[in-house]
Amino acid sequence: MHKLYCYVDETGQDTKGALFLVALVITGDERETLRRVLADCERRSGKIIKKWTNTTLEQKKIYLQEVLQTKLFQGRIFYRSFSHTTEYLNCTLEAIVQGIAKQAIFNYKVTVVIDSLGKREGKIIGTRLRRRGVRVEKVRGIPHRSDEFIRLADAMAGFVRDYLEGKSYAGNLYQQAIQSGVMTQL
């Protein structure tokens, strides 16, 4: 049985449907190695446990460059953007299903970890994912600051949103992320 972990964060509810973006980080056996790498990236950049919106521009650039230069992240980070919808739960489910389909092999179980998700919502998401054929072991929420992978998903959601909104720092880094295979658009 292959064990997967899917970390999820989103952004865009404040746009009232104009833009909604879901970012995923999917890991397997290499999870603890990647966790140590992320902790080092956070420390070296000065980002540490800050949310993306509270990170300085210089910290953002250094953090992204550190992550993008780490080959271990190739094929691990995904995002999906949506427009003209406020069906946030359905959008999140769709992104999770598509991301796991990119990573899953025949015999797998996945734990889905979503930023600040309540127990009730976790049960709903778990049921809906199973109905869509995802082999979910469990769905749980954790506070943003408590996990390197949730912070990475938050950073990638914020970064892609910055790119889509035309922020000048994001253009070249976005192209590097896509071309290197570290980030994949679903």
Side-chain angles (χ1 to χ4, degrees):
M1 179 77 56
H2 188 68
K3 179 70 176 148
L4 295 175
Y5 299 86
C6 178
Y7 297 87
V8 183
D9 199 6
E10 74 284 320
T11 186
Q13 295 94 325
D14 61 308
T15 69
K16 297 183 172 93
L19 171 67
F20 182 69
L21 194 136
V22 180
L24 312 169
V25 179
I26 302 176
T27 69
D29 296 336
E30 73 291 336
R31 185 170 72 131
E32 292 311 313
T33 299
L34 289 174
R35 185 181 303 284
R36 287 189 296 277
V37 169
L38 282 173
D40 288 343
C41 291
E42 289 177 334
R43 183 182 42 74
R44 284 192 296 267
S45 69
K47 177 188 171 299
I48 311 177
I49 62 171
K50 297 177 193 169
K51 285 192 68 69
W52 194 248
T53 55
N54 297 328
T55 304
T56 68
L57 180 58
E58 189 62 25
Q59 290 168 337
K60 288 177 182 182
K61 289 195 269 188
I62 293 169
Y63 179 76
L64 288 168
Q65 289 167 346
E66 293 265 344
V67 170
L68 296 178
Q69 292 171 3
T70 304
K71 292 186 187 288
L72 290 172
F73 286 109
Q74 286 178 331
R76 303 275 174 229
I77 301 171
F78 304 89
Y79 81 91
R80 171 99 188 261
S81 62
F82 303 86
S83 58
H84 310 295
T85 183
T86 56
E87 296 290 327
Y88 303 133
L89 179 60
N90 288 334
C91 294
T92 301
L93 288 168
E94 187 63 29
I96 293 169
V97 168
Q98 290 178 339
I100 290 171
K102 294 271 189 192
Q103 286 290 314
I105 56 174
F106 178 70
N107 193 17
Y108 77 93
K109 280 284 194 185
V110 63
T111 295
V112 179
V113 182
I114 302 176
D115 182 32
S116 303
L117 183 74
K119 285 185 181 185
R120 181 176 171 273
E121 293 87 3
K123 289 182 181 192
I124 292 168
I125 288 173
T127 299
R128 290 189 183 175
L129 287 172
R130 286 181 192 95
R131 285 183 189 155
R132 293 185 183 196
V134 176
R135 297 180 184 143
V136 176
E137 184 172 337
K138 63 183 166 182
V139 176
R140 65 185 182 103
I142 59 173
H144 168 75
R145 292 182 174 204
S146 66
D147 187 271
E148 291 86 357
F149 293 109
I150 285 291
R151 292 191 299 269
L152 176 60
D154 170 72
M156 298 317 283
F159 163 59
V160 173
R161 180 176 178 172
D162 287 350
Y163 169 74
L164 293 173
E165 291 178 344
K167 302 266 174 82
S168 61
Y169 85 92
N172 288 337
L173 287 168
Y174 177 85
Q175 295 306 320
Q176 181 183 348
I178 295 296
Q179 290 171 356
S180 69
V182 169
M183 188 170 64
T184 303
Q185 180 178 6
L186 299 171

